Amino acid sequence: MGQAAVPRTILQAMEATNRLFSEQVVAGKQIARLDGVYTEDAAILPPDSEIVRGREKIKQFWSKVIIEAGLSAAPLTTVEAEMLGDAAYEIGTAQLTFQGPSGASQVSVKYIVVWKQDADGSWKWHRDIWNPTPR
Amino acid sequence: MGQAAVPRTILQAMEATNRLFSEQVVAGKQIARLDGVYTEDAAILPPDSEIVRGREKIKQFWSKVIIEAGLSAAPLTTVEAEMLGDAAYEIGTAQLTFQGPSGASQVSVKYIVVWKQDADGSWKWHRDIWNPTPR
């Protein structure tokens, strides 16, 4: 039941991964950079979707959202993070901006991510679920 | 990065907590039994809601959903579970039935729960987020 604080070096690694997602994948539309965001056997649970398993399927999901649906910005804010053994979980919030033919729209979401450290030492999203928050 | 299987005794304890929620809290409308479901400092992240922190606030949330909105059944199905240190996470699905003045309606959801073992030995929901799944 105790709370295990996340060491500063791991928090910094998590922030680097979150920036990679926001800046390179979403704003930069570089879908291939998701290799650095998700574990190979990651799973995501998007709203109004079935569970999506595996990094390749997850790339297809985000490609649709970013390239086809026009997600253009997704800055992430960590609300809390805690170590669970050699893994961690994070609660955060994101402001999603979609660029469409009739202008920009925004959606606020909150999420839980289960994080794992990859073989290369980086910290990646292993399980990822989100839902809308009232604006 | 390894997967740590959940021992059978812990899986059974988790199933007991899930049944307590479905059978006593939701079907039985015994909101006070949430003491056995959530840790005292639990947090839930419901769709279209802000984060709700603390067991007392969580009781108020479920009271509104069960007593006022008519949630009458919420059977839970575990899809996967994994140990993370001395905690665990679970992915699952639930079929929610709401009884309203014009009959019953159903909603399918999927969830991630971060589990912790309480001081009394029982396993409880510590972080809980869900969103809708297409039916």
Side-chain angles (χ1 to χ4, degrees), chain A residues 1-2 45-50 53 80 82 84-85 89 110 112 116-117 127 129-134, chain B residues 1-2 45-50 53 80 82 84-85 89 110 112 116-117 127 129-134:
Chain A
M1 281 289 298
L45 291 77
D48 306 313
S49 159
E50 301 293 335
R53 287 189 181 275
E80 63 173 35
E82 185 186 348
L84 300 173
Y89 78 82
K110 56 195 175 301
I112 291 183
K116 290 202 176 181
Q117 189 172 28
R127 296 291 182 266
I129 180 172
W130 64 96
N131 67 32
T133 300
Chain B
M1 279 289 298
L45 290 78
D48 306 311
S49 160
E50 300 294 334
R53 287 188 181 276
E80 64 173 37
E82 184 186 348
L84 299 173
Y89 79 83
K110 57 195 175 300
I112 291 183
K116 289 201 178 184
Q117 188 172 28
R127 296 291 181 267
I129 181 171
W130 64 95
N131 65 32
T133 299

mmCIF file of all heavy atoms in Angstrom, chain A residues 1-2 45-50 53 80 82 84-85 89 110 112 116-117 127 129-134, chain B residues 1-2 45-50 53 80 82 84-85 89 110 112 116-117 127 129-134:
data_model
loop_
_atom_site.group_PDB
_atom_site.id
_atom_site.type_symbol
_atom_site.label_atom_id
_atom_site.label_comp_id
_atom_site.label_asym_id
_atom_site.label_seq_id
_atom_site.Cartn_x
_atom_site.Cartn_y
_atom_site.Cartn_z
ATOM 1 N N MET A 1 0.816 -1.216 0.000
ATOM 2 C CA MET A 1 0.000 0.000 0.000
ATOM 3 C C MET A 1 0.849 1.264 0.000
ATOM 4 O O MET A 1 0.330 2.345 -0.211
ATOM 5 C CB MET A 1 -0.924 0.033 1.224
ATOM 6 C CG MET A 1 -2.151 -0.837 1.066
ATOM 7 S SD MET A 1 -3.298 -0.128 -0.126
ATOM 8 C CE MET A 1 -3.703 1.432 0.682
ATOM 9 N N GLY A 2 2.166 1.150 0.224
ATOM 10 C CA GLY A 2 2.978 2.359 0.266
ATOM 11 C C GLY A 2 3.105 3.011 -1.099
ATOM 12 O O GLY A 2 2.920 2.368 -2.117
ATOM 13 N N LEU A 45 -6.036 1.146 -25.293
ATOM 14 C CA LEU A 45 -7.484 0.990 -25.135
ATOM 15 C C LEU A 45 -8.140 2.335 -25.464
ATOM 16 O O LEU A 45 -8.503 3.096 -24.569
ATOM 17 C CB LEU A 45 -7.828 0.556 -23.699
ATOM 18 C CG LEU A 45 -7.422 -0.865 -23.265
ATOM 19 C CD1 LEU A 45 -5.948 -0.958 -22.949
ATOM 20 C CD2 LEU A 45 -8.250 -1.323 -22.051
ATOM 21 N N PRO A 46 -8.309 2.648 -26.741
ATOM 22 C CA PRO A 46 -8.896 3.944 -27.107
ATOM 23 C C PRO A 46 -10.399 3.955 -26.860
ATOM 24 O O PRO A 46 -11.057 2.921 -26.941
ATOM 25 C CB PRO A 46 -8.613 4.052 -28.617
ATOM 26 C CG PRO A 46 -7.653 2.945 -28.945
ATOM 27 C CD PRO A 46 -7.905 1.883 -27.924
ATOM 28 N N PRO A 47 -10.958 5.134 -26.566
ATOM 29 C CA PRO A 47 -12.416 5.229 -26.435
ATOM 30 C C PRO A 47 -13.100 4.807 -27.739
ATOM 31 O O PRO A 47 -12.587 5.081 -28.831
ATOM 32 C CB PRO A 47 -12.650 6.725 -26.170
ATOM 33 C CG PRO A 47 -11.355 7.243 -25.671
ATOM 34 C CD PRO A 47 -10.295 6.413 -26.326
ATOM 35 N N ASP A 48 -14.238 4.139 -27.612
ATOM 36 C CA ASP A 48 -15.050 3.761 -28.780
ATOM 37 C C ASP A 48 -14.272 2.894 -29.756
ATOM 38 O O ASP A 48 -14.444 2.991 -30.975
ATOM 39 C CB ASP A 48 -15.587 5.014 -29.493
ATOM 40 C CG ASP A 48 -16.330 5.930 -28.527
ATOM 41 O OD1 ASP A 48 -17.162 5.429 -27.763
ATOM 42 O OD2 ASP A 48 -16.044 7.142 -28.508
ATOM 43 N N SER A 49 -13.402 2.047 -29.236
ATOM 44 C CA SER A 49 -12.581 1.147 -30.051
ATOM 45 C C SER A 49 -12.362 -0.131 -29.255
ATOM 46 O O SER A 49 -12.454 -0.144 -28.033
ATOM 47 C CB SER A 49 -11.236 1.812 -30.346
ATOM 48 O OG SER A 49 -10.244 0.857 -30.703
ATOM 49 N N GLU A 50 -12.066 -1.216 -29.978
ATOM 50 C CA GLU A 50 -11.582 -2.416 -29.314
ATOM 51 C C GLU A 50 -10.153 -2.181 -28.817
ATOM 52 O O GLU A 50 -9.512 -1.200 -29.203
ATOM 53 C CB GLU A 50 -11.605 -3.600 -30.294
ATOM 54 C CG GLU A 50 -12.970 -3.922 -30.867
ATOM 55 C CD GLU A 50 -13.942 -4.445 -29.820
ATOM 56 O OE1 GLU A 50 -13.470 -4.997 -28.804
ATOM 57 O OE2 GLU A 50 -15.162 -4.275 -30.000
ATOM 58 N N ARG A 53 -3.594 -4.289 -29.993
ATOM 59 C CA ARG A 53 -2.423 -4.956 -29.423
ATOM 60 C C ARG A 53 -1.255 -4.991 -30.397
ATOM 61 O O ARG A 53 -1.421 -5.357 -31.550
ATOM 62 C CB ARG A 53 -2.776 -6.402 -29.023
ATOM 63 C CG ARG A 53 -3.644 -6.478 -27.791
ATOM 64 C CD ARG A 53 -3.794 -7.922 -27.299
ATOM 65 N NE ARG A 53 -4.645 -7.967 -26.127
ATOM 66 C CZ ARG A 53 -4.230 -7.763 -24.879
ATOM 67 N NH1 ARG A 53 -2.955 -7.518 -24.635
ATOM 68 N NH2 ARG A 53 -5.087 -7.807 -23.884
ATOM 69 N N GLU A 80 0.392 12.488 -11.869
ATOM 70 C CA GLU A 80 1.071 11.728 -10.828
ATOM 71 C C GLU A 80 1.768 10.543 -11.480
ATOM 72 O O GLU A 80 1.395 10.110 -12.578
ATOM 73 C CB GLU A 80 0.094 11.225 -9.750
ATOM 74 C CG GLU A 80 -0.941 10.254 -10.266
ATOM 75 C CD GLU A 80 -1.789 9.635 -9.157
ATOM 76 O OE1 GLU A 80 -2.081 10.337 -8.173
ATOM 77 O OE2 GLU A 80 -2.148 8.456 -9.283
ATOM 78 N N GLU A 82 4.042 6.790 -10.142
ATOM 79 C CA GLU A 82 4.464 5.980 -8.999
ATOM 80 C C GLU A 82 5.153 4.726 -9.510
ATOM 81 O O GLU A 82 4.714 4.125 -10.500
ATOM 82 C CB GLU A 82 3.227 5.594 -8.160
ATOM 83 C CG GLU A 82 3.565 4.851 -6.897
ATOM 84 C CD GLU A 82 2.327 4.356 -6.143
ATOM 85 O OE1 GLU A 82 1.207 4.780 -6.476
ATOM 86 O OE2 GLU A 82 2.502 3.527 -5.237
ATOM 87 N N LEU A 84 5.950 0.855 -9.490
ATOM 88 C CA LEU A 84 5.323 -0.410 -9.096
ATOM 89 C C LEU A 84 6.342 -1.491 -9.421
ATOM 90 O O LEU A 84 6.421 -1.962 -10.561
ATOM 91 C CB LEU A 84 4.023 -0.648 -9.867
ATOM 92 C CG LEU A 84 2.907 0.394 -9.719
ATOM 93 C CD1 LEU A 84 1.759 0.080 -10.683
ATOM 94 C CD2 LEU A 84 2.371 0.445 -8.284
ATOM 95 N N GLY A 85 7.161 -1.880 -8.439
ATOM 96 C CA GLY A 85 8.272 -2.774 -8.738
ATOM 97 C C GLY A 85 9.225 -2.080 -9.685
ATOM 98 O O GLY A 85 9.591 -0.923 -9.466
ATOM 99 N N TYR A 89 3.352 3.493 -13.061
ATOM 100 C CA TYR A 89 2.172 3.981 -13.772
ATOM 101 C C TYR A 89 2.174 5.506 -13.678
ATOM 102 O O TYR A 89 2.761 6.098 -12.778
ATOM 103 C CB TYR A 89 0.858 3.392 -13.224
ATOM 104 C CG TYR A 89 0.350 4.012 -11.938
ATOM 105 C CD1 TYR A 89 -0.388 5.207 -11.965
ATOM 106 C CD2 TYR A 89 0.624 3.438 -10.719
ATOM 107 C CE1 TYR A 89 -0.838 5.787 -10.795
ATOM 108 C CE2 TYR A 89 0.174 4.013 -9.541
ATOM 109 C CZ TYR A 89 -0.549 5.190 -9.580
ATOM 110 O OH TYR A 89 -0.978 5.775 -8.421
ATOM 111 N N LYS A 110 -7.909 12.525 -20.217
ATOM 112 C CA LYS A 110 -7.032 12.086 -19.127
ATOM 113 C C LYS A 110 -6.673 10.637 -19.395
ATOM 114 O O LYS A 110 -7.385 9.948 -20.126
ATOM 115 C CB LYS A 110 -7.733 12.257 -17.765
ATOM 116 C CG LYS A 110 -9.058 11.541 -17.649
ATOM 117 C CD LYS A 110 -9.841 12.040 -16.439
ATOM 118 C CE LYS A 110 -11.234 11.426 -16.363
ATOM 119 N NZ LYS A 110 -12.095 11.712 -17.566
ATOM 120 N N ILE A 112 -4.305 6.843 -18.117
ATOM 121 C CA ILE A 112 -3.378 6.061 -17.296
ATOM 122 C C ILE A 112 -2.475 5.297 -18.249
ATOM 123 O O ILE A 112 -2.956 4.654 -19.183
ATOM 124 C CB ILE A 112 -4.105 5.085 -16.341
ATOM 125 C CG1 ILE A 112 -4.842 5.864 -15.232
ATOM 126 C CG2 ILE A 112 -3.108 4.095 -15.718
ATOM 127 C CD1 ILE A 112 -5.534 4.977 -14.194
ATOM 128 N N LYS A 116 7.057 0.595 -18.842
ATOM 129 C CA LYS A 116 8.119 -0.377 -18.600
ATOM 130 C C LYS A 116 9.419 0.144 -19.217
ATOM 131 O O LYS A 116 9.398 0.884 -20.190
ATOM 132 C CB LYS A 116 7.758 -1.736 -19.206
ATOM 133 C CG LYS A 116 6.619 -2.428 -18.456
ATOM 134 C CD LYS A 116 6.632 -3.911 -18.687
ATOM 135 C CE LYS A 116 5.563 -4.592 -17.849
ATOM 136 N NZ LYS A 116 5.573 -6.060 -18.032
ATOM 137 N N GLN A 117 10.518 -0.283 -18.605
ATOM 138 C CA GLN A 117 11.812 0.072 -19.178
ATOM 139 C C GLN A 117 12.164 -0.927 -20.263
ATOM 140 O O GLN A 117 12.083 -2.151 -20.043
ATOM 141 C CB GLN A 117 12.897 0.092 -18.100
ATOM 142 C CG GLN A 117 14.216 0.670 -18.620
ATOM 143 C CD GLN A 117 15.236 0.869 -17.525
ATOM 144 O OE1 GLN A 117 15.224 0.174 -16.514
ATOM 145 N NE2 GLN A 117 16.141 1.815 -17.727
ATOM 146 N N ARG A 127 0.949 -0.135 -21.471
ATOM 147 C CA ARG A 127 -0.522 -0.163 -21.512
ATOM 148 C C ARG A 127 -0.986 1.285 -21.441
ATOM 149 O O ARG A 127 -0.443 2.060 -20.638
ATOM 150 C CB ARG A 127 -1.097 -0.963 -20.341
ATOM 151 C CG ARG A 127 -0.722 -2.445 -20.357
ATOM 152 C CD ARG A 127 -1.408 -3.173 -21.509
ATOM 153 N NE ARG A 127 -1.109 -4.598 -21.540
ATOM 154 C CZ ARG A 127 -0.126 -5.138 -22.274
ATOM 155 N NH1 ARG A 127 0.668 -4.377 -23.000
ATOM 156 N NH2 ARG A 127 0.054 -6.448 -22.274
ATOM 157 N N ILE A 129 -4.509 3.874 -21.773
ATOM 158 C CA ILE A 129 -5.963 4.049 -21.887
ATOM 159 C C ILE A 129 -6.296 5.498 -21.576
ATOM 160 O O ILE A 129 -5.645 6.118 -20.719
ATOM 161 C CB ILE A 129 -6.719 3.082 -20.944
ATOM 162 C CG1 ILE A 129 -8.251 3.253 -21.056
ATOM 163 C CG2 ILE A 129 -6.251 3.221 -19.499
ATOM 164 C CD1 ILE A 129 -9.061 2.195 -20.294
ATOM 165 N N TRP A 130 -7.274 6.045 -22.268
ATOM 166 C CA TRP A 130 -7.669 7.426 -22.033
ATOM 167 C C TRP A 130 -9.162 7.584 -22.255
ATOM 168 O O TRP A 130 -9.807 6.716 -22.845
ATOM 169 C CB TRP A 130 -6.873 8.387 -22.918
ATOM 170 C CG TRP A 130 -7.091 8.246 -24.394
ATOM 171 C CD1 TRP A 130 -7.940 8.970 -25.176
ATOM 172 C CD2 TRP A 130 -6.433 7.331 -25.296
ATOM 173 N NE1 TRP A 130 -7.864 8.576 -26.491
ATOM 174 C CE2 TRP A 130 -6.945 7.567 -26.597
ATOM 175 C CE3 TRP A 130 -5.463 6.328 -25.125
ATOM 176 C CZ2 TRP A 130 -6.536 6.840 -27.714
ATOM 177 C CZ3 TRP A 130 -5.056 5.602 -26.246
ATOM 178 C CH2 TRP A 130 -5.582 5.862 -27.518
ATOM 179 N N ASN A 131 -9.685 8.698 -21.766
ATOM 180 C CA ASN A 131 -11.093 9.040 -22.007
ATOM 181 C C ASN A 131 -11.259 10.551 -21.887
ATOM 182 O O ASN A 131 -10.362 11.248 -21.403
ATOM 183 C CB ASN A 131 -12.028 8.250 -21.063
ATOM 184 C CG ASN A 131 -11.879 8.635 -19.605
ATOM 185 O OD1 ASN A 131 -11.578 9.770 -19.281
ATOM 186 N ND2 ASN A 131 -12.087 7.678 -18.703
ATOM 187 N N PRO A 132 -12.402 11.056 -22.365
ATOM 188 C CA PRO A 132 -12.592 12.512 -22.385
ATOM 189 C C PRO A 132 -12.848 13.102 -21.006
ATOM 190 O O PRO A 132 -13.414 12.447 -20.121
ATOM 191 C CB PRO A 132 -13.809 12.720 -23.285
ATOM 192 C CG PRO A 132 -14.383 11.384 -23.570
ATOM 193 C CD PRO A 132 -13.498 10.326 -23.006
ATOM 194 N N THR A 133 -12.421 14.337 -20.848
ATOM 195 C CA THR A 133 -12.668 15.135 -19.650
ATOM 196 C C THR A 133 -13.449 16.370 -20.090
ATOM 197 O O THR A 133 -13.159 16.913 -21.155
ATOM 198 C CB THR A 133 -11.327 15.552 -19.013
ATOM 199 O OG1 THR A 133 -10.598 14.386 -18.666
ATOM 200 C CG2 THR A 133 -11.533 16.419 -17.775
ATOM 201 N N PRO A 134 -14.438 16.827 -19.311
ATOM 202 C CA PRO A 134 -15.150 18.050 -19.700
ATOM 203 C C PRO A 134 -14.171 19.219 -19.775
ATOM 204 O O PRO A 134 -13.232 19.292 -18.985
ATOM 205 C CB PRO A 134 -16.163 18.264 -18.574
ATOM 206 C CG PRO A 134 -16.175 17.011 -17.771
ATOM 207 C CD PRO A 134 -14.900 16.299 -18.020
ATOM 208 N N MET B 1 11.050 -5.619 -18.485
ATOM 209 C CA MET B 1 10.188 -5.899 -19.634
ATOM 210 C C MET B 1 9.516 -7.261 -19.503
ATOM 211 O O MET B 1 8.635 -7.596 -20.290
ATOM 212 C CB MET B 1 10.992 -5.858 -20.940
ATOM 213 C CG MET B 1 11.219 -4.469 -21.445
ATOM 214 S SD MET B 1 9.693 -3.740 -22.082
ATOM 215 C CE MET B 1 9.315 -4.859 -23.448
ATOM 216 N N GLY B 2 9.938 -8.105 -18.575
ATOM 217 C CA GLY B 2 9.339 -9.437 -18.478
ATOM 218 C C GLY B 2 7.909 -9.366 -17.977
ATOM 219 O O GLY B 2 7.494 -8.394 -17.366
ATOM 220 N N LEU B 45 -11.058 7.537 -12.806
ATOM 221 C CA LEU B 45 -11.050 8.464 -13.945
ATOM 222 C C LEU B 45 -12.219 8.102 -14.861
ATOM 223 O O LEU B 45 -12.046 7.440 -15.875
ATOM 224 C CB LEU B 45 -9.724 8.360 -14.715
ATOM 225 C CG LEU B 45 -8.454 8.896 -14.021
ATOM 226 C CD1 LEU B 45 -7.934 7.911 -12.983
ATOM 227 C CD2 LEU B 45 -7.358 9.201 -15.036
ATOM 228 N N PRO B 46 -13.434 8.536 -14.500
ATOM 229 C CA PRO B 46 -14.599 8.164 -15.322
ATOM 230 C C PRO B 46 -14.630 8.977 -16.618
ATOM 231 O O PRO B 46 -14.148 10.121 -16.661
ATOM 232 C CB PRO B 46 -15.801 8.546 -14.434
ATOM 233 C CG PRO B 46 -15.225 8.841 -13.076
ATOM 234 C CD PRO B 46 -13.822 9.290 -13.317
ATOM 235 N N PRO B 47 -15.209 8.419 -17.687
ATOM 236 C CA PRO B 47 -15.382 9.195 -18.922
ATOM 237 C C PRO B 47 -16.225 10.436 -18.664
ATOM 238 O O PRO B 47 -17.166 10.405 -17.856
ATOM 239 C CB PRO B 47 -16.128 8.227 -19.853
ATOM 240 C CG PRO B 47 -15.872 6.863 -19.299
ATOM 241 C CD PRO B 47 -15.720 7.045 -17.821
ATOM 242 N N ASP B 48 -15.897 11.530 -19.328
ATOM 243 C CA ASP B 48 -16.692 12.767 -19.244
ATOM 244 C C ASP B 48 -16.805 13.275 -17.820
ATOM 245 O O ASP B 48 -17.843 13.820 -17.415
ATOM 246 C CB ASP B 48 -18.090 12.543 -19.837
ATOM 247 C CG ASP B 48 -18.007 11.980 -21.251
ATOM 248 O OD1 ASP B 48 -17.251 12.552 -22.055
ATOM 249 O OD2 ASP B 48 -18.679 10.983 -21.540
ATOM 250 N N SER B 49 -15.751 13.104 -17.038
ATOM 251 C CA SER B 49 -15.712 13.531 -15.629
ATOM 252 C C SER B 49 -14.283 13.932 -15.305
ATOM 253 O O SER B 49 -13.334 13.499 -15.961
ATOM 254 C CB SER B 49 -16.144 12.370 -14.729
ATOM 255 O OG SER B 49 -15.688 12.560 -13.397
ATOM 256 N N GLU B 50 -14.133 14.762 -14.289
ATOM 257 C CA GLU B 50 -12.811 15.004 -13.733
ATOM 258 C C GLU B 50 -12.369 13.762 -12.952
ATOM 259 O O GLU B 50 -13.169 12.874 -12.675
ATOM 260 C CB GLU B 50 -12.856 16.216 -12.787
ATOM 261 C CG GLU B 50 -13.288 17.521 -13.448
ATOM 262 C CD GLU B 50 -12.297 18.030 -14.477
ATOM 263 O OE1 GLU B 50 -11.106 17.696 -14.352
ATOM 264 O OE2 GLU B 50 -12.729 18.728 -15.411
ATOM 265 N N ARG B 53 -11.011 11.638 -6.427
ATOM 266 C CA ARG B 53 -9.983 11.139 -5.514
ATOM 267 C C ARG B 53 -10.538 10.861 -4.127
ATOM 268 O O ARG B 53 -11.232 11.696 -3.555
ATOM 269 C CB ARG B 53 -8.837 12.153 -5.382
ATOM 270 C CG ARG B 53 -7.971 12.227 -6.600
ATOM 271 C CD ARG B 53 -6.735 13.097 -6.364
ATOM 272 N NE ARG B 53 -5.924 13.160 -7.560
ATOM 273 C CZ ARG B 53 -5.019 12.251 -7.902
ATOM 274 N NH1 ARG B 53 -4.779 11.222 -7.102
ATOM 275 N NH2 ARG B 53 -4.349 12.358 -9.028
ATOM 276 N N GLU B 80 -6.661 -9.608 -18.903
ATOM 277 C CA GLU B 80 -5.282 -9.934 -18.556
ATOM 278 C C GLU B 80 -4.960 -9.298 -17.219
ATOM 279 O O GLU B 80 -5.614 -8.323 -16.801
ATOM 280 C CB GLU B 80 -4.287 -9.462 -19.614
ATOM 281 C CG GLU B 80 -4.238 -7.950 -19.773
ATOM 282 C CD GLU B 80 -3.125 -7.480 -20.707
ATOM 283 O OE1 GLU B 80 -2.853 -8.165 -21.705
ATOM 284 O OE2 GLU B 80 -2.545 -6.418 -20.436
ATOM 285 N N GLU B 82 -1.292 -8.726 -14.522
ATOM 286 C CA GLU B 82 0.154 -8.923 -14.409
ATOM 287 C C GLU B 82 0.639 -8.291 -13.121
ATOM 288 O O GLU B 82 0.192 -7.194 -12.744
ATOM 289 C CB GLU B 82 0.847 -8.256 -15.622
ATOM 290 C CG GLU B 82 2.350 -8.479 -15.649
ATOM 291 C CD GLU B 82 3.049 -7.701 -16.773
ATOM 292 O OE1 GLU B 82 2.362 -7.178 -17.666
ATOM 293 O OE2 GLU B 82 4.277 -7.612 -16.712
ATOM 294 N N LEU B 84 3.143 -6.164 -10.898
ATOM 295 C CA LEU B 84 4.128 -5.099 -11.048
ATOM 296 C C LEU B 84 4.684 -4.863 -9.652
ATOM 297 O O LEU B 84 4.106 -4.123 -8.861
ATOM 298 C CB LEU B 84 3.478 -3.828 -11.597
ATOM 299 C CG LEU B 84 2.809 -3.905 -12.971
ATOM 300 C CD1 LEU B 84 2.077 -2.609 -13.274
ATOM 301 C CD2 LEU B 84 3.813 -4.225 -14.069
ATOM 302 N N GLY B 85 5.798 -5.522 -9.339
ATOM 303 C CA GLY B 85 6.290 -5.484 -7.966
ATOM 304 C C GLY B 85 5.267 -6.146 -7.064
ATOM 305 O O GLY B 85 4.781 -7.235 -7.363
ATOM 306 N N TYR B 89 -1.634 -4.873 -12.317
ATOM 307 C CA TYR B 89 -2.656 -4.191 -13.108
ATOM 308 C C TYR B 89 -3.523 -5.243 -13.781
ATOM 309 O O TYR B 89 -3.109 -6.387 -13.976
ATOM 310 C CB TYR B 89 -2.056 -3.221 -14.140
ATOM 311 C CG TYR B 89 -1.526 -3.866 -15.392
ATOM 312 C CD1 TYR B 89 -2.381 -4.184 -16.446
ATOM 313 C CD2 TYR B 89 -0.179 -4.161 -15.531
ATOM 314 C CE1 TYR B 89 -1.899 -4.791 -17.608
ATOM 315 C CE2 TYR B 89 0.293 -4.753 -16.677
ATOM 316 C CZ TYR B 89 -0.560 -5.080 -17.705
ATOM 317 O OH TYR B 89 -0.086 -5.680 -18.841
ATOM 318 N N LYS B 110 -14.377 -1.069 -21.420
ATOM 319 C CA LYS B 110 -13.137 -1.758 -21.075
ATOM 320 C C LYS B 110 -12.403 -0.895 -20.066
ATOM 321 O O LYS B 110 -12.664 0.311 -19.999
ATOM 322 C CB LYS B 110 -12.288 -2.015 -22.319
ATOM 323 C CG LYS B 110 -11.936 -0.760 -23.109
ATOM 324 C CD LYS B 110 -11.436 -1.118 -24.494
ATOM 325 C CE LYS B 110 -11.200 0.125 -25.350
ATOM 326 N NZ LYS B 110 -12.408 0.977 -25.563
ATOM 327 N N ILE B 112 -8.726 -0.323 -17.258
ATOM 328 C CA ILE B 112 -7.480 -0.709 -16.595
ATOM 329 C C ILE B 112 -7.617 -0.351 -15.126
ATOM 330 O O ILE B 112 -8.014 0.769 -14.788
ATOM 331 C CB ILE B 112 -6.246 0.000 -17.209
ATOM 332 C CG1 ILE B 112 -5.975 -0.536 -18.624
ATOM 333 C CG2 ILE B 112 -5.014 -0.199 -16.317
ATOM 334 C CD1 ILE B 112 -4.722 0.046 -19.291
ATOM 335 N N LYS B 116 -3.814 -2.804 -5.504
ATOM 336 C CA LYS B 116 -2.862 -2.909 -4.393
ATOM 337 C C LYS B 116 -3.458 -3.794 -3.304
ATOM 338 O O LYS B 116 -4.690 -3.863 -3.149
ATOM 339 C CB LYS B 116 -2.543 -1.524 -3.823
ATOM 340 C CG LYS B 116 -1.690 -0.684 -4.765
ATOM 341 C CD LYS B 116 -0.969 0.421 -4.034
ATOM 342 C CE LYS B 116 -0.090 1.205 -4.984
ATOM 343 N NZ LYS B 116 0.697 2.236 -4.262
ATOM 344 N N GLN B 117 -2.567 -4.439 -2.556
ATOM 345 C CA GLN B 117 -3.039 -5.236 -1.426
ATOM 346 C C GLN B 117 -3.206 -4.331 -0.222
ATOM 347 O O GLN B 117 -2.302 -3.556 0.122
ATOM 348 C CB GLN B 117 -2.055 -6.363 -1.115
ATOM 349 C CG GLN B 117 -2.619 -7.335 -0.074
ATOM 350 C CD GLN B 117 -1.757 -8.565 0.109
ATOM 351 O OE1 GLN B 117 -0.551 -8.524 -0.105
ATOM 352 N NE2 GLN B 117 -2.378 -9.651 0.530
ATOM 353 N N ARG B 127 -6.275 2.516 -8.698
ATOM 354 C CA ARG B 127 -6.516 3.453 -9.805
ATOM 355 C C ARG B 127 -7.420 2.731 -10.793
ATOM 356 O O ARG B 127 -7.200 1.565 -11.090
ATOM 357 C CB ARG B 127 -5.196 3.863 -10.484
ATOM 358 C CG ARG B 127 -4.240 4.644 -9.558
ATOM 359 C CD ARG B 127 -4.781 6.024 -9.234
ATOM 360 N NE ARG B 127 -3.903 6.807 -8.380
ATOM 361 C CZ ARG B 127 -3.982 6.865 -7.056
ATOM 362 N NH1 ARG B 127 -4.886 6.126 -6.401
ATOM 363 N NH2 ARG B 127 -3.175 7.650 -6.380
ATOM 364 N N ILE B 129 -9.771 3.307 -14.436
ATOM 365 C CA ILE B 129 -10.181 4.128 -15.582
ATOM 366 C C ILE B 129 -10.877 3.230 -16.580
ATOM 367 O O ILE B 129 -10.500 2.068 -16.755
ATOM 368 C CB ILE B 129 -8.956 4.838 -16.223
ATOM 369 C CG1 ILE B 129 -9.384 5.709 -17.412
ATOM 370 C CG2 ILE B 129 -7.861 3.854 -16.612
ATOM 371 C CD1 ILE B 129 -8.258 6.607 -17.966
ATOM 372 N N TRP B 130 -11.903 3.749 -17.239
ATOM 373 C CA TRP B 130 -12.614 2.953 -18.247
ATOM 374 C C TRP B 130 -13.118 3.881 -19.360
ATOM 375 O O TRP B 130 -13.146 5.085 -19.207
ATOM 376 C CB TRP B 130 -13.781 2.190 -17.606
ATOM 377 C CG TRP B 130 -14.872 3.032 -17.018
ATOM 378 C CD1 TRP B 130 -16.051 3.406 -17.620
ATOM 379 C CD2 TRP B 130 -14.916 3.630 -15.703
ATOM 380 N NE1 TRP B 130 -16.799 4.176 -16.762
ATOM 381 C CE2 TRP B 130 -16.143 4.339 -15.585
ATOM 382 C CE3 TRP B 130 -14.035 3.649 -14.604
ATOM 383 C CZ2 TRP B 130 -16.500 5.043 -14.433
ATOM 384 C CZ3 TRP B 130 -14.399 4.352 -13.469
ATOM 385 C CH2 TRP B 130 -15.616 5.025 -13.387
ATOM 386 N N ASN B 131 -13.480 3.229 -20.476
ATOM 387 C CA ASN B 131 -14.094 3.972 -21.581
ATOM 388 C C ASN B 131 -14.968 3.025 -22.394
ATOM 389 O O ASN B 131 -14.884 1.801 -22.228
ATOM 390 C CB ASN B 131 -13.018 4.687 -22.426
ATOM 391 C CG ASN B 131 -12.097 3.737 -23.146
ATOM 392 O OD1 ASN B 131 -12.500 2.640 -23.549
ATOM 393 N ND2 ASN B 131 -10.843 4.130 -23.323
ATOM 394 N N PRO B 132 -15.809 3.576 -23.271
ATOM 395 C CA PRO B 132 -16.744 2.718 -24.006
ATOM 396 C C PRO B 132 -16.069 1.916 -25.113
ATOM 397 O O PRO B 132 -15.072 2.348 -25.696
ATOM 398 C CB PRO B 132 -17.754 3.721 -24.612
ATOM 399 C CG PRO B 132 -17.221 5.073 -24.358
ATOM 400 C CD PRO B 132 -16.021 5.002 -23.499
ATOM 401 N N THR B 133 -16.627 0.756 -25.380
ATOM 402 C CA THR B 133 -16.219 -0.129 -26.476
ATOM 403 C C THR B 133 -17.433 -0.288 -27.385
ATOM 404 O O THR B 133 -18.550 -0.379 -26.883
ATOM 405 C CB THR B 133 -15.796 -1.500 -25.906
ATOM 406 O OG1 THR B 133 -14.692 -1.309 -25.030
ATOM 407 C CG2 THR B 133 -15.391 -2.459 -27.022
ATOM 408 N N PRO B 134 -17.251 -0.318 -28.714
ATOM 409 C CA PRO B 134 -18.404 -0.543 -29.586
ATOM 410 C C PRO B 134 -19.047 -1.886 -29.283
ATOM 411 O O PRO B 134 -18.341 -2.841 -28.962
ATOM 412 C CB PRO B 134 -17.809 -0.535 -30.998
ATOM 413 C CG PRO B 134 -16.415 -0.048 -30.864
ATOM 414 C CD PRO B 134 -15.991 -0.221 -29.452
#
